[in-house]
Amino acid sequence: MNKTVKKLISSVAISAVTLSVGFIVTMVSFNLFDALTTNQMRILFTVDFVCLIAVGGIFLYISESKSAKRKRRQGFEKRQMERIEENEKEMAQINEIITNSGYAA
């Protein structure tokens, strides 16, 4: 599957889950509106807000760590390819010296 399609699907899934959980939490809070005192409602809304921020932060951390790992891996692969090319050049030079010399092995 194409990377952009996967990214789009995961973004839509995360958004849908976030919206549904937020709607459920808000619905519960408003259903309890008549049964709770003002201070209890403030505490409930504060807990809801902190939970939503924590979940958002966790998803942000996960996505950022994935992109950081990808960048590190790409940097490693680039350095590895540079080392391989350098070794190949050195071996080619050594082979050229050996073939051009008149000494028998």
Side-chain angles (χ1 to χ4, degrees), residues 85-103:
E85 289 174 2
E86 185 65 31
N87 286 339
E88 287 176 354
K89 286 179 186 177
E90 288 177 4
M91 289 303 294
Q93 291 173 351
I94 291 171
N95 286 335
E96 185 178 329
I97 292 171
I98 290 173
T99 57
N100 289 337
S101 68
Y103 299 110

Side-chain angles (χ1 to χ4, degrees), residues 30-49:
F30 281 112
N31 284 337
L32 293 174
F33 186 74
D34 293 332
L36 299 176
T37 64
T38 304
N39 286 335
Q40 290 172 334
M41 284 302 295
R42 287 179 184 160
I43 292 170
L44 182 64
F45 279 118
T46 303
V47 169
D48 291 344
F49 182 73

Side-chain angles (χ1 to χ4, degrees), residues 1-104:
M1 207 184 250
N2 195 356
K3 284 186 179 182
T4 55
V5 173
K6 286 183 182 179
K7 192 171 185 177
L8 179 68
I9 290 171
S10 66
S11 297
V12 169
I14 290 171
S15 298
V17 168
T18 304
L19 285 173
S20 62
V21 169
F23 179 75
I24 290 169
V25 167
T26 305
M27 185 177 66
V28 167
S29 298
F30 281 112
N31 284 337
L32 293 174
F33 186 74
D34 293 332
L36 299 176
T37 64
T38 304
N39 286 335
Q40 290 172 334
M41 284 302 295
R42 287 179 184 160
I43 292 170
L44 182 64
F45 279 118
T46 303
V47 169
D48 291 344
F49 182 73
V50 168
C51 288
L52 289 175
I53 294 297
V55 169
I58 290 169
F59 278 114
L60 180 64
Y61 176 75
I62 290 171
S63 66
E64 291 297 321
S65 67
K66 283 183 181 179
S67 65
K69 285 180 185 178
R70 186 178 326 116
K71 286 180 183 178
R72 279 193 305 254
R73 183 175 32 86
Q74 288 173 347
F76 173 76
E77 289 173 356
K78 181 181 176 184
R79 290 189 307 273
Q80 183 70 14
M81 291 303 295
E82 289 172 356
R83 285 191 291 261
I84 290 171
E85 289 174 2
E86 185 65 31
N87 286 339
E88 287 176 354
K89 286 179 186 177
E90 288 177 4
M91 289 303 294
Q93 291 173 351
I94 291 171
N95 286 335
E96 185 178 329
I97 292 171
I98 290 173
T99 57
N100 289 337
S101 68
Y103 299 110

